[in-house]
Amino acid sequence: STMFLENESKYDFDVTLEKLKAEVEKKSWKLTAIHDLQQTMKTYGKDVLPVKVLAICHPKHSSKILEKDNERIVSCMMPWRISVYKKSDGKTYVSRINPAPMAKAYGGLVEQVMTESANEIEVMLGDIIVIR
């Protein structure tokens, strides 16, 4: 039960991003931001391999958390983030938080919402990543 999940993509960096964005839209999730960390590092004179972080959310999930005062504490993990990056082996990878350990520890509504969200995201990634 590692805190992060990582899979190799079946595609190169740009195709992975395009396919992921299409899946997000197809599943009625919202792409709220794309953070280009490679470009950010360039502004500080650092040269790193391509890495973009997609921030996505679905109002049917997020509203359940944000409507309850006692659950809003987990809003620091919202929106959900999926990272697409290249490594020095030339391959493209996709990573995201593994919500299972935290969801189970928190329990209740948060566990339910995190589990449902995570399951939907894994479906979105199904045709993009290599499953071992």
Side-chain angles (χ1 to χ4, degrees):
S1 65
T2 176
M3 291 301 292
F4 300 95
L5 302 173
E6 179 187 65
N7 296 84
E8 183 183 332
S9 174
K10 297 175 184 175
Y11 307 99
D12 69 18
F13 183 79
D14 292 327
V15 172
T16 300
L17 279 171
E18 291 312 307
K19 286 189 174 290
L20 182 52
K21 287 192 275 187
E23 279 296 313
V24 166
E25 190 174 311
K26 190 167 94 178
K27 298 287 193 265
S28 300
W29 280 62
K30 308 298 174 219
L31 178 60
T32 61
I34 299 177
H35 304 279
D36 186 337
L37 302 185
Q38 181 187 41
Q39 195 57 46
T40 299
M41 289 297 101
K42 277 186 184 168
T43 66
Y44 296 102
K46 303 290 183 186
D47 189 26
V48 299
L49 291 170
V51 55
K52 289 189 179 182
V53 180
L54 283 68
I56 66 172
C57 76
H58 199 301
K60 79 174 181 191
H61 296 304
S62 53
S63 64
K64 291 176 188 173
I65 299 291
L66 298 175
E67 289 168 352
K68 308 272 188 227
D69 284 347
N70 291 337
E71 314 303 351
R72 297 185 101 189
I73 191 168
V74 299
S75 63
C76 60
M77 295 181 58
M78 299 165 72
W80 204 280
R81 287 166 175 74
I82 302 173
S83 185
V84 177
Y85 48 91
K86 284 179 83 167
K87 288 187 178 181
S88 55
D89 63 7
K91 297 176 183 175
T92 297
Y93 294 84
V94 177
S95 72
R96 61 259 179 232
I97 290 174
N98 179 3
M102 186 177 305
K104 190 172 174 74
Y106 206 91
L109 179 66
V110 170
E111 180 177 14
Q112 176 194 334
V113 171
M114 287 179 83
T115 301
E116 288 174 8
S117 299
N119 290 342
E120 288 183 26
I121 287 168
E122 292 308 305
V123 169
M124 280 186 236
L125 294 174
D127 292 332
I128 298 170
I129 59 175
V130 176
I131 309 288
R132 299 207 194 291

